[in-house]
Amino acid sequence: MAVATAPSLNRHFLRRISSPFSRVKERRPWLLPGDSNLIDSRRNRNSHLLVFASSSSPPSSNLPTDVFTAESCVNTGLDLFKRGRVKDALAQFETALSLDPNPIESQAAYYNKACCHAYRGEGNKAADCLRVALRDYNLKFATILNDPDLASFRALPEFKELQEEARLGGEDIGDSFRRDLKLISEVRAPFRGFRKFFYFAFSAAAGISTLFTVPRLILAVRGGDGAPDLLETTGNAAINIGGIVVLVALFIWENKKEEEQMVQITRDETLSRLPLRLSTNRVVELVQLRDTVRPVILAGKKETVTLAMQKADRFRTELLRRGVLLVPVVWGERKTPEVEKKKGFGASSKAATSLPSIGEDFDTRAQSVVAQSKLKSEIRFKSEIVSPGEWERWIRDQQIAEGVVPGEDVYIILRLDGRVRRSGKGMPDWAEISKELPPMDDVLSKLER
């Protein structure tokens, strides 16, 4: 959710680090256009921009106190939501939209409406509000991925539809998310753009050559004095046409691979935002564990997962040397952990503060070295998932992508950089994994980071 603006101050930004699970007494930051994007999506949900904004004119002390503005309605709605009065908060956000709000106020109102609908389990209405915010008010899709108040929405089919629409882009939802995906795709495959240009340029050249060859071929077929050689002309035409077919096919293949890569990037970004609880009760996102552990996700029936965990204990020492962190996911266990039981935007104060993640600026990351070392000391052999619905949805999507029937028992081993190393049906062979994964201090592990 977004925070209220403070009147009589020009717009400026103040960075603030706080835990997303301990905001009962805080007012949530307003979302501003461009406040986060997918390239910077490794910033975790703990880092927020606290925004103070208002009109350029100073407030007048003569204004009546009962005058409602879009800003005041949004502020009131945020306070109501914080106290658990979701229905009243929703009414305030709707009132704000009827008071000729500016673009920032409109973005905040639509986004906070979506959070209210998500809280009430109204997935379609939440998706509609987010579409408007994405299309008309430059909301970044990474904000939707990061906000814990939309965790319940991200576990619904409506979120998957919205994410797919955003990936494809278009007039109904905007192209900002797709542009961000393309940038990441170009970083991972830096020569794809050059290859596509090469295919296009040579296809155009072959097409132009074919335009000159076809009339000569017609003259050769007719014969007569001065007619070009039929065999030679036919050969030239065949080469040009064959070249066009091959180059166009390669261009289409590159486009297909780019789309597949963007789908995988979308899944990777969703995976990086999945929360889990360490043995010390600290709640973190997977992105915060990059370069530190190799999570092994065990998904299946309770009996199967429990047995796999018991077998893993026999290889505990060797697996710990390789940075393995077990992440059990039992199908159908949708019970919400205590840390997720919150009223409005708040959360249990027992939740530990998470750490700045990779996406933040250098100074912030440098300041978190001590905290990162503390996190490493807190990591144990096993963890517990938070927001089971989100985890199950991601795993089922991954199963579909790998051609596995959704709901089967599977394991997924992640690399140190957070990407999927490999996966398989059933539960893993821990002896084999102990041989396959290099120790954390090995050169191969350093290359994997």
Side-chain angles (χ1 to χ4, degrees):
M1 300 284 284
V3 222
T5 57
S8 75
L9 293 175
N10 292 326
R11 188 170 297 127
H12 62 282
F13 304 95
L14 174 65
R15 183 169 297 282
R16 172 178 179 181
I17 304 299
S18 65
S19 169
F21 298 105
S22 57
R23 290 177 291 176
V24 177
K25 298 182 180 180
E26 293 183 8
R27 187 168 283 171
R28 295 169 53 80
W30 258 29
L31 303 172
L32 278 153
D35 67 340
S36 63
N37 52 45
L38 192 58
I39 299 176
D40 191 34
S41 69
R42 288 184 174 85
R43 172 189 308 168
N44 68 13
R45 69 181 70 161
N46 312 34
S47 177
H48 299 283
L49 288 180
L50 181 60
V51 181
F52 299 88
S54 71
S55 60
S56 57
S57 59
S60 171
S61 59
N62 298 326
L63 288 176
T65 57
D66 58 347
V67 172
F68 292 101
T69 64
E71 179 182 329
S72 66
C73 288
V74 170
N75 293 345
T76 303
L78 290 166
D79 289 334
L80 291 169
F81 196 106
K82 181 176 65 176
R83 288 180 280 167
R85 296 170 57 183
V86 181
K87 184 177 180 180
D88 295 335
L90 187 58
Q92 288 293 324
F93 297 137
E94 291 172 347
T95 302
L97 292 172
S98 68
L99 295 176
D100 192 25
N102 62 37
I104 296 175
E105 293 164 342
S106 298
Q107 185 199 74
Y110 275 112
Y111 183 81
N112 291 321
K113 271 190 67 178
C115 290
C116 289
H117 288 306
Y119 188 91
R120 291 155 59 97
E122 299 167 345
N124 285 326
K125 292 181 179 180
D128 290 340
C129 291
L130 292 174
R131 281 190 186 92
V132 175
L134 288 164
R135 181 188 65 222
D136 298 335
Y137 301 108
N138 199 32
L139 175 67
K140 297 300 181 182
F141 200 86
T143 305
I144 302 173
L145 289 174
N146 298 344
D147 194 342
D149 287 311
L150 289 175
S152 60
F153 172 70
R154 290 193 293 267
L156 298 176
E158 287 82 357
F159 169 74
K160 183 178 179 181
E161 295 174 5
L162 183 70
Q163 190 176 44
E164 184 66 13
E165 291 176 26
R167 184 183 67 80
L168 296 174
E171 295 181 358
D172 292 337
I173 201 165
D175 296 314
S176 62
F177 185 55
R178 184 171 178 81
R179 284 196 300 268
D180 293 337
L181 289 174
K182 277 184 170 292
L183 288 174
I184 298 177
S185 177
E186 289 173 6
V187 171
R188 293 190 181 181
F191 298 107
R192 177 176 287 130
F194 175 78
R195 292 196 299 268
K196 290 172 69 174
F197 174 79
F198 173 85
Y199 298 149
F200 177 80
F202 278 80
S203 295
I208 294 173
S209 178
T210 303
L211 292 177
F212 289 100
T213 304
V214 168
R216 289 175 57 81
L217 181 61
I218 295 174
L219 292 176
V221 170
R222 289 178 178 176
D225 296 337
D229 182 70
L230 178 60
L231 185 60
E232 179 182 357
T233 306
T234 303
N236 291 336
I239 291 173
N240 289 331
I241 295 173
I244 292 173
V245 171
V246 172
L247 292 170
V248 169
L250 288 172
F251 187 86
I252 294 173
W253 181 79
E254 286 286 0
N255 278 337
K256 181 180 178 181
K257 297 299 290 184
E258 184 179 34
E259 289 295 329
E260 291 176 355
Q261 188 177 49
M262 287 196 291
V263 171
Q264 184 60 51
I265 292 170
T266 303
R267 284 202 301 270
D268 289 344
E269 289 299 324
T270 304
L271 172 64
S272 70
R273 294 299 166 187
L274 294 178
L276 53 84
R277 183 189 289 108
L278 303 179
S279 58
T280 56
N281 204 38
R282 179 189 290 264
V283 175
V284 297
E285 295 174 340
L286 278 181
V287 67
Q288 294 172 255
L289 302 179
R290 286 180 180 174
D291 301 334
T292 306
V293 297
R294 292 185 174 99
V296 177
I297 303 171
L298 307 173
K301 296 183 290 293
K302 185 173 183 178
E303 299 78 12
T304 307
V305 173
T306 302
L307 181 59
M309 299 277 285
Q310 291 172 352
K311 290 181 178 179
D313 277 330
R314 304 172 190 170
F315 300 87
R316 183 188 184 98
T317 302
E318 288 300 316
L319 293 175
L320 283 173
R321 286 187 60 229
R322 288 153 176 78
V324 169
L325 176 67
L326 302 183
V327 183
V329 180
V330 177
W331 296 131
E333 274 201 355
R334 297 292 185 99
K335 182 180 179 180
T336 305
E338 181 181 351
V339 73
E340 289 292 300
K341 292 182 179 179
K342 56 186 177 179
K343 193 174 184 180
F345 303 116
S348 171
S349 58
K350 296 181 181 179
T353 303
S354 299
L355 301 172
S357 63
I358 298 172
E360 295 192 27
D361 56 75
F362 177 80
D363 291 337
T364 302
R365 282 182 283 150
Q367 294 170 3
S368 71
V369 171
V370 176
Q372 193 73 13
S373 299
K374 182 179 179 181
L375 174 61
K376 289 181 181 180
S377 68
E378 292 183 8
I379 294 173
R380 299 291 186 269
F381 189 47
K382 302 174 184 177
S383 62
E384 178 186 354
I385 62 171
V386 179
S387 300
E390 288 188 80
W391 280 90
E392 287 190 27
R393 191 186 70 82
W394 183 87
I395 295 171
R396 292 178 189 276
D397 288 345
Q398 185 71 13
Q399 286 178 317
I400 293 172
E402 297 293 337
V404 179
V405 177
E408 285 192 14
D409 297 341
V410 294
Y411 67 91
I412 303 170
I413 304 174
L414 304 185
R415 294 159 44 99
L416 286 172
D417 61 7
R419 291 185 288 173
V420 175
R421 180 186 185 95
R422 72 177 177 90
S423 59
K425 295 182 180 180
M427 292 293 110
D429 183 337
W430 298 114
E432 180 183 337
I433 289 178
S434 298
K435 296 177 182 178
E436 174 189 341
L437 298 178
M440 292 295 289
D441 55 357
D442 193 87
V443 175
L444 294 177
S445 292
K446 295 178 181 178
L447 294 175
E448 192 177 305
R449 289 182 169 92

mmCIF file with all atom_site columns, all heavy atoms in Angstrom, residues 196-215:
data_model
loop_
_atom_site.group_PDB
_atom_site.id
_atom_site.type_symbol
_atom_site.label_atom_id
_atom_site.label_alt_id
_atom_site.label_comp_id
_atom_site.label_asym_id
_atom_site.label_entity_id
_atom_site.label_seq_id
_atom_site.pdbx_PDB_ins_code
_atom_site.Cartn_x
_atom_site.Cartn_y
_atom_site.Cartn_z
_atom_site.occupancy
_atom_site.B_iso_or_equiv
_atom_site.pdbx_formal_charge
_atom_site.auth_seq_id
_atom_site.auth_comp_id
_atom_site.auth_asym_id
_atom_site.auth_atom_id
_atom_site.pdbx_PDB_model_num
ATOM 1   N N   . LYS A 1 196 ? 19.473 -10.983 -34.672 1.00 0.00 ? 196 LYS A N   1
ATOM 2   C CA  . LYS A 1 196 ? 18.193 -10.649 -35.288 1.00 0.00 ? 196 LYS A CA  1
ATOM 3   C C   . LYS A 1 196 ? 18.367 -9.564  -36.359 1.00 0.00 ? 196 LYS A C   1
ATOM 4   O O   . LYS A 1 196 ? 17.731 -9.625  -37.417 1.00 0.00 ? 196 LYS A O   1
ATOM 5   C CB  . LYS A 1 196 ? 17.204 -10.183 -34.214 1.00 0.00 ? 196 LYS A CB  1
ATOM 6   C CG  . LYS A 1 196 ? 16.760 -11.310 -33.289 1.00 0.00 ? 196 LYS A CG  1
ATOM 7   C CD  . LYS A 1 196 ? 15.939 -10.796 -32.134 1.00 0.00 ? 196 LYS A CD  1
ATOM 8   C CE  . LYS A 1 196 ? 14.590 -10.281 -32.587 1.00 0.00 ? 196 LYS A CE  1
ATOM 9   N NZ  . LYS A 1 196 ? 13.728 -9.906  -31.436 1.00 0.00 ? 196 LYS A NZ  1
ATOM 10  N N   . PHE A 1 197 ? 19.217 -8.595  -36.088 1.00 0.00 ? 197 PHE A N   1
ATOM 11  C CA  . PHE A 1 197 ? 19.493 -7.566  -37.099 1.00 0.00 ? 197 PHE A CA  1
ATOM 12  C C   . PHE A 1 197 ? 20.152 -8.195  -38.329 1.00 0.00 ? 197 PHE A C   1
ATOM 13  O O   . PHE A 1 197 ? 19.820 -7.857  -39.475 1.00 0.00 ? 197 PHE A O   1
ATOM 14  C CB  . PHE A 1 197 ? 20.402 -6.487  -36.508 1.00 0.00 ? 197 PHE A CB  1
ATOM 15  C CG  . PHE A 1 197 ? 20.856 -5.470  -37.518 1.00 0.00 ? 197 PHE A CG  1
ATOM 16  C CD1 . PHE A 1 197 ? 20.003 -4.443  -37.921 1.00 0.00 ? 197 PHE A CD1 1
ATOM 17  C CD2 . PHE A 1 197 ? 22.122 -5.539  -38.079 1.00 0.00 ? 197 PHE A CD2 1
ATOM 18  C CE1 . PHE A 1 197 ? 20.411 -3.522  -38.873 1.00 0.00 ? 197 PHE A CE1 1
ATOM 19  C CE2 . PHE A 1 197 ? 22.538 -4.619  -39.027 1.00 0.00 ? 197 PHE A CE2 1
ATOM 20  C CZ  . PHE A 1 197 ? 21.674 -3.604  -39.420 1.00 0.00 ? 197 PHE A CZ  1
ATOM 21  N N   . PHE A 1 198 ? 21.080 -9.124  -38.089 1.00 0.00 ? 198 PHE A N   1
ATOM 22  C CA  . PHE A 1 198 ? 21.752 -9.817  -39.191 1.00 0.00 ? 198 PHE A CA  1
ATOM 23  C C   . PHE A 1 198 ? 20.734 -10.579 -40.044 1.00 0.00 ? 198 PHE A C   1
ATOM 24  O O   . PHE A 1 198 ? 20.753 -10.488 -41.279 1.00 0.00 ? 198 PHE A O   1
ATOM 25  C CB  . PHE A 1 198 ? 22.797 -10.772 -38.611 1.00 0.00 ? 198 PHE A CB  1
ATOM 26  C CG  . PHE A 1 198 ? 23.462 -11.666 -39.616 1.00 0.00 ? 198 PHE A CG  1
ATOM 27  C CD1 . PHE A 1 198 ? 24.554 -11.236 -40.340 1.00 0.00 ? 198 PHE A CD1 1
ATOM 28  C CD2 . PHE A 1 198 ? 22.984 -12.959 -39.847 1.00 0.00 ? 198 PHE A CD2 1
ATOM 29  C CE1 . PHE A 1 198 ? 25.172 -12.062 -41.272 1.00 0.00 ? 198 PHE A CE1 1
ATOM 30  C CE2 . PHE A 1 198 ? 23.590 -13.792 -40.772 1.00 0.00 ? 198 PHE A CE2 1
ATOM 31  C CZ  . PHE A 1 198 ? 24.684 -13.343 -41.485 1.00 0.00 ? 198 PHE A CZ  1
ATOM 32  N N   . TYR A 1 199 ? 19.846 -11.324 -39.397 1.00 0.00 ? 199 TYR A N   1
ATOM 33  C CA  . TYR A 1 199 ? 18.842 -12.082 -40.144 1.00 0.00 ? 199 TYR A CA  1
ATOM 34  C C   . TYR A 1 199 ? 17.935 -11.147 -40.937 1.00 0.00 ? 199 TYR A C   1
ATOM 35  O O   . TYR A 1 199 ? 17.596 -11.424 -42.105 1.00 0.00 ? 199 TYR A O   1
ATOM 36  C CB  . TYR A 1 199 ? 18.001 -12.926 -39.183 1.00 0.00 ? 199 TYR A CB  1
ATOM 37  C CG  . TYR A 1 199 ? 18.786 -13.951 -38.409 1.00 0.00 ? 199 TYR A CG  1
ATOM 38  C CD1 . TYR A 1 199 ? 18.380 -14.330 -37.123 1.00 0.00 ? 199 TYR A CD1 1
ATOM 39  C CD2 . TYR A 1 199 ? 19.925 -14.548 -38.941 1.00 0.00 ? 199 TYR A CD2 1
ATOM 40  C CE1 . TYR A 1 199 ? 19.103 -15.266 -36.395 1.00 0.00 ? 199 TYR A CE1 1
ATOM 41  C CE2 . TYR A 1 199 ? 20.638 -15.491 -38.214 1.00 0.00 ? 199 TYR A CE2 1
ATOM 42  C CZ  . TYR A 1 199 ? 20.232 -15.838 -36.944 1.00 0.00 ? 199 TYR A CZ  1
ATOM 43  O OH  . TYR A 1 199 ? 20.948 -16.753 -36.220 1.00 0.00 ? 199 TYR A OH  1
ATOM 44  N N   . PHE A 1 200 ? 17.519 -10.070 -40.319 1.00 0.00 ? 200 PHE A N   1
ATOM 45  C CA  . PHE A 1 200 ? 16.615 -9.132  -40.988 1.00 0.00 ? 200 PHE A CA  1
ATOM 46  C C   . PHE A 1 200 ? 17.295 -8.469  -42.185 1.00 0.00 ? 200 PHE A C   1
ATOM 47  O O   . PHE A 1 200 ? 16.712 -8.373  -43.275 1.00 0.00 ? 200 PHE A O   1
ATOM 48  C CB  . PHE A 1 200 ? 16.145 -8.069  -39.998 1.00 0.00 ? 200 PHE A CB  1
ATOM 49  C CG  . PHE A 1 200 ? 15.270 -7.003  -40.608 1.00 0.00 ? 200 PHE A CG  1
ATOM 50  C CD1 . PHE A 1 200 ? 13.926 -7.240  -40.828 1.00 0.00 ? 200 PHE A CD1 1
ATOM 51  C CD2 . PHE A 1 200 ? 15.802 -5.771  -40.977 1.00 0.00 ? 200 PHE A CD2 1
ATOM 52  C CE1 . PHE A 1 200 ? 13.119 -6.270  -41.412 1.00 0.00 ? 200 PHE A CE1 1
ATOM 53  C CE2 . PHE A 1 200 ? 15.009 -4.795  -41.552 1.00 0.00 ? 200 PHE A CE2 1
ATOM 54  C CZ  . PHE A 1 200 ? 13.664 -5.045  -41.761 1.00 0.00 ? 200 PHE A CZ  1
ATOM 55  N N   . ALA A 1 201 ? 18.540 -8.024  -41.979 1.00 0.00 ? 201 ALA A N   1
ATOM 56  C CA  . ALA A 1 201 ? 19.243 -7.312  -43.051 1.00 0.00 ? 201 ALA A CA  1
ATOM 57  C C   . ALA A 1 201 ? 19.491 -8.223  -44.251 1.00 0.00 ? 201 ALA A C   1
ATOM 58  O O   . ALA A 1 201 ? 19.261 -7.829  -45.402 1.00 0.00 ? 201 ALA A O   1
ATOM 59  C CB  . ALA A 1 201 ? 20.563 -6.751  -42.519 1.00 0.00 ? 201 ALA A CB  1
ATOM 60  N N   . PHE A 1 202 ? 19.954 -9.436  -43.998 1.00 0.00 ? 202 PHE A N   1
ATOM 61  C CA  . PHE A 1 202 ? 20.232 -10.340 -45.106 1.00 0.00 ? 202 PHE A CA  1
ATOM 62  C C   . PHE A 1 202 ? 18.944 -10.844 -45.755 1.00 0.00 ? 202 PHE A C   1
ATOM 63  O O   . PHE A 1 202 ? 18.931 -11.133 -46.966 1.00 0.00 ? 202 PHE A O   1
ATOM 64  C CB  . PHE A 1 202 ? 21.093 -11.508 -44.623 1.00 0.00 ? 202 PHE A CB  1
ATOM 65  C CG  . PHE A 1 202 ? 22.557 -11.181 -44.562 1.00 0.00 ? 202 PHE A CG  1
ATOM 66  C CD1 . PHE A 1 202 ? 23.077 -10.480 -43.498 1.00 0.00 ? 202 PHE A CD1 1
ATOM 67  C CD2 . PHE A 1 202 ? 23.414 -11.549 -45.585 1.00 0.00 ? 202 PHE A CD2 1
ATOM 68  C CE1 . PHE A 1 202 ? 24.425 -10.161 -43.428 1.00 0.00 ? 202 PHE A CE1 1
ATOM 69  C CE2 . PHE A 1 202 ? 24.764 -11.228 -45.542 1.00 0.00 ? 202 PHE A CE2 1
ATOM 70  C CZ  . PHE A 1 202 ? 25.268 -10.527 -44.463 1.00 0.00 ? 202 PHE A CZ  1
ATOM 71  N N   . SER A 1 203 ? 17.860 -10.963 -44.995 1.00 0.00 ? 203 SER A N   1
ATOM 72  C CA  . SER A 1 203 ? 16.576 -11.314 -45.601 1.00 0.00 ? 203 SER A CA  1
ATOM 73  C C   . SER A 1 203 ? 16.112 -10.208 -46.539 1.00 0.00 ? 203 SER A C   1
ATOM 74  O O   . SER A 1 203 ? 15.614 -10.487 -47.647 1.00 0.00 ? 203 SER A O   1
ATOM 75  C CB  . SER A 1 203 ? 15.523 -11.532 -44.519 1.00 0.00 ? 203 SER A CB  1
ATOM 76  O OG  . SER A 1 203 ? 15.840 -12.633 -43.721 1.00 0.00 ? 203 SER A OG  1
ATOM 77  N N   . ALA A 1 204 ? 16.283 -8.962  -46.107 1.00 0.00 ? 204 ALA A N   1
ATOM 78  C CA  . ALA A 1 204 ? 15.908 -7.840  -46.965 1.00 0.00 ? 204 ALA A CA  1
ATOM 79  C C   . ALA A 1 204 ? 16.757 -7.816  -48.228 1.00 0.00 ? 204 ALA A C   1
ATOM 80  O O   . ALA A 1 204 ? 16.247 -7.571  -49.333 1.00 0.00 ? 204 ALA A O   1
ATOM 81  C CB  . ALA A 1 204 ? 16.057 -6.534  -46.182 1.00 0.00 ? 204 ALA A CB  1
ATOM 82  N N   . ALA A 1 205 ? 18.067 -8.075  -48.079 1.00 0.00 ? 205 ALA A N   1
ATOM 83  C CA  . ALA A 1 205 ? 18.952 -8.089  -49.249 1.00 0.00 ? 205 ALA A CA  1
ATOM 84  C C   . ALA A 1 205 ? 18.559 -9.200  -50.216 1.00 0.00 ? 205 ALA A C   1
ATOM 85  O O   . ALA A 1 205 ? 18.524 -9.004  -51.448 1.00 0.00 ? 205 ALA A O   1
ATOM 86  C CB  . ALA A 1 205 ? 20.398 -8.259  -48.793 1.00 0.00 ? 205 ALA A CB  1
ATOM 87  N N   . ALA A 1 206 ? 18.248 -10.382 -49.671 1.00 0.00 ? 206 ALA A N   1
ATOM 88  C CA  . ALA A 1 206 ? 17.828 -11.500 -50.529 1.00 0.00 ? 206 ALA A CA  1
ATOM 89  C C   . ALA A 1 206 ? 16.495 -11.189 -51.200 1.00 0.00 ? 206 ALA A C   1
ATOM 90  O O   . ALA A 1 206 ? 16.266 -11.572 -52.361 1.00 0.00 ? 206 ALA A O   1
ATOM 91  C CB  . ALA A 1 206 ? 17.714 -12.775 -49.698 1.00 0.00 ? 206 ALA A CB  1
ATOM 92  N N   . GLY A 1 207 ? 15.614 -10.489 -50.492 1.00 0.00 ? 207 GLY A N   1
ATOM 93  C CA  . GLY A 1 207 ? 14.331 -10.118 -51.088 1.00 0.00 ? 207 GLY A CA  1
ATOM 94  C C   . GLY A 1 207 ? 14.501 -9.153  -52.240 1.00 0.00 ? 207 GLY A C   1
ATOM 95  O O   . GLY A 1 207 ? 13.846 -9.281  -53.288 1.00 0.00 ? 207 GLY A O   1
ATOM 96  N N   . ILE A 1 208 ? 15.389 -8.170  -52.065 1.00 0.00 ? 208 ILE A N   1
ATOM 97  C CA  . ILE A 1 208 ? 15.648 -7.210  -53.156 1.00 0.00 ? 208 ILE A CA  1
ATOM 98  C C   . ILE A 1 208 ? 16.262 -7.923  -54.348 1.00 0.00 ? 208 ILE A C   1
ATOM 99  O O   . ILE A 1 208 ? 15.896 -7.673  -55.518 1.00 0.00 ? 208 ILE A O   1
ATOM 100 C CB  . ILE A 1 208 ? 16.573 -6.086  -52.643 1.00 0.00 ? 208 ILE A CB  1
ATOM 101 C CG1 . ILE A 1 208 ? 15.854 -5.249  -51.582 1.00 0.00 ? 208 ILE A CG1 1
ATOM 102 C CG2 . ILE A 1 208 ? 17.021 -5.196  -53.800 1.00 0.00 ? 208 ILE A CG2 1
ATOM 103 C CD1 . ILE A 1 208 ? 16.727 -4.241  -50.896 1.00 0.00 ? 208 ILE A CD1 1
ATOM 104 N N   . SER A 1 209 ? 17.199 -8.821  -54.084 1.00 0.00 ? 209 SER A N   1
ATOM 105 C CA  . SER A 1 209 ? 17.820 -9.584  -55.174 1.00 0.00 ? 209 SER A CA  1
ATOM 106 C C   . SER A 1 209 ? 16.782 -10.431 -55.906 1.00 0.00 ? 209 SER A C   1
ATOM 107 O O   . SER A 1 209 ? 16.826 -10.563 -57.143 1.00 0.00 ? 209 SER A O   1
ATOM 108 C CB  . SER A 1 209 ? 18.926 -10.478 -54.603 1.00 0.00 ? 209 SER A CB  1
ATOM 109 O OG  . SER A 1 209 ? 19.507 -11.266 -55.613 1.00 0.00 ? 209 SER A OG  1
ATOM 110 N N   . THR A 1 210 ? 15.825 -10.987 -55.155 1.00 0.00 ? 210 THR A N   1
ATOM 111 C CA  . THR A 1 210 ? 14.774 -11.793 -55.782 1.00 0.00 ? 210 THR A CA  1
ATOM 112 C C   . THR A 1 210 ? 13.906 -10.949 -56.704 1.00 0.00 ? 210 THR A C   1
ATOM 113 O O   . THR A 1 210 ? 13.472 -11.417 -57.779 1.00 0.00 ? 210 THR A O   1
ATOM 114 C CB  . THR A 1 210 ? 13.908 -12.458 -54.701 1.00 0.00 ? 210 THR A CB  1
ATOM 115 O OG1 . THR A 1 210 ? 14.736 -13.253 -53.856 1.00 0.00 ? 210 THR A OG1 1
ATOM 116 C CG2 . THR A 1 210 ? 12.837 -13.336 -55.318 1.00 0.00 ? 210 THR A CG2 1
ATOM 117 N N   . LEU A 1 211 ? 13.645 -9.687  -56.331 1.00 0.00 ? 211 LEU A N   1
ATOM 118 C CA  . LEU A 1 211 ? 12.842 -8.803  -57.178 1.00 0.00 ? 211 LEU A CA  1
ATOM 119 C C   . LEU A 1 211 ? 13.491 -8.590  -58.543 1.00 0.00 ? 211 LEU A C   1
ATOM 120 O O   . LEU A 1 211 ? 12.801 -8.461  -59.563 1.00 0.00 ? 211 LEU A O   1
ATOM 121 C CB  . LEU A 1 211 ? 12.643 -7.451  -56.483 1.00 0.00 ? 211 LEU A CB  1
ATOM 122 C CG  . LEU A 1 211 ? 11.767 -7.458  -55.233 1.00 0.00 ? 211 LEU A CG  1
ATOM 123 C CD1 . LEU A 1 211 ? 11.716 -6.070  -54.605 1.00 0.00 ? 211 LEU A CD1 1
ATOM 124 C CD2 . LEU A 1 211 ? 10.350 -7.926  -55.586 1.00 0.00 ? 211 LEU A CD2 1
ATOM 125 N N   . PHE A 1 212 ? 14.829 -8.555  -58.555 1.00 0.00 ? 212 PHE A N   1
ATOM 126 C CA  . PHE A 1 212 ? 15.524 -8.405  -59.848 1.00 0.00 ? 212 PHE A CA  1
ATOM 127 C C   . PHE A 1 212 ? 15.653 -9.731  -60.582 1.00 0.00 ? 212 PHE A C   1
ATOM 128 O O   . PHE A 1 212 ? 15.757 -9.776  -61.807 1.00 0.00 ? 212 PHE A O   1
ATOM 129 C CB  . PHE A 1 212 ? 16.921 -7.821  -59.614 1.00 0.00 ? 212 PHE A CB  1
ATOM 130 C CG  . PHE A 1 212 ? 16.910 -6.370  -59.210 1.00 0.00 ? 212 PHE A CG  1
ATOM 131 C CD1 . PHE A 1 212 ? 17.060 -6.007  -57.884 1.00 0.00 ? 212 PHE A CD1 1
ATOM 132 C CD2 . PHE A 1 212 ? 16.731 -5.373  -60.152 1.00 0.00 ? 212 PHE A CD2 1
ATOM 133 C CE1 . PHE A 1 212 ? 17.042 -4.685  -57.501 1.00 0.00 ? 212 PHE A CE1 1
ATOM 134 C CE2 . PHE A 1 212 ? 16.708 -4.041  -59.769 1.00 0.00 ? 212 PHE A CE2 1
ATOM 135 C CZ  . PHE A 1 212 ? 16.869 -3.690  -58.441 1.00 0.00 ? 212 PHE A CZ  1
ATOM 136 N N   . THR A 1 213 ? 15.654 -10.836 -59.832 1.00 0.00 ? 213 THR A N   1
ATOM 137 C CA  . THR A 1 213 ? 15.855 -12.148 -60.452 1.00 0.00 ? 213 THR A CA  1
ATOM 138 C C   . THR A 1 213 ? 14.587 -12.664 -61.116 1.00 0.00 ? 213 THR A C   1
ATOM 139 O O   . THR A 1 213 ? 14.654 -13.331 -62.171 1.00 0.00 ? 213 THR A O   1
ATOM 140 C CB  . THR A 1 213 ? 16.326 -13.161 -59.389 1.00 0.00 ? 213 THR A CB  1
ATOM 141 O OG1 . THR A 1 213 ? 17.506 -12.676 -58.764 1.00 0.00 ? 213 THR A OG1 1
ATOM 142 C CG2 . THR A 1 213 ? 16.626 -14.512 -60.014 1.00 0.00 ? 213 THR A CG2 1
ATOM 143 N N   . VAL A 1 214 ? 13.421 -12.363 -60.544 1.00 0.00 ? 214 VAL A N   1
ATOM 144 C CA  . VAL A 1 214 ? 12.161 -12.888 -61.083 1.00 0.00 ? 214 VAL A CA  1
ATOM 145 C C   . VAL A 1 214 ? 11.923 -12.443 -62.516 1.00 0.00 ? 214 VAL A C   1
ATOM 146 O O   . VAL A 1 214 ? 11.582 -13.273 -63.386 1.00 0.00 ? 214 VAL A O   1
ATOM 147 C CB  . VAL A 1 214 ? 10.991 -12.489 -60.160 1.00 0.00 ? 214 VAL A CB  1
ATOM 148 C CG1 . VAL A 1 214 ? 9.645  -12.777 -60.852 1.00 0.00 ? 214 VAL A CG1 1
ATOM 149 C CG2 . VAL A 1 214 ? 11.073 -13.242 -58.844 1.00 0.00 ? 214 VAL A CG2 1
ATOM 150 N N   . PRO A 1 215 ? 12.083 -11.144 -62.869 1.00 0.00 ? 215 PRO A N   1
ATOM 151 C CA  . PRO A 1 215 ? 11.904 -10.764 -64.282 1.00 0.00 ? 215 PRO A CA  1
ATOM 152 C C   . PRO A 1 215 ? 12.878 -11.482 -65.211 1.00 0.00 ? 215 PRO A C   1
ATOM 153 O O   . PRO A 1 215 ? 12.509 -11.874 -66.332 1.00 0.00 ? 215 PRO A O   1
ATOM 154 C CB  . PRO A 1 215 ? 12.167 -9.253  -64.272 1.00 0.00 ? 215 PRO A CB  1
ATOM 155 C CG  . PRO A 1 215 ? 11.862 -8.831  -62.878 1.00 0.00 ? 215 PRO A CG  1
ATOM 156 C CD  . PRO A 1 215 ? 12.307 -9.973  -62.036 1.00 0.00 ? 215 PRO A CD  1
#
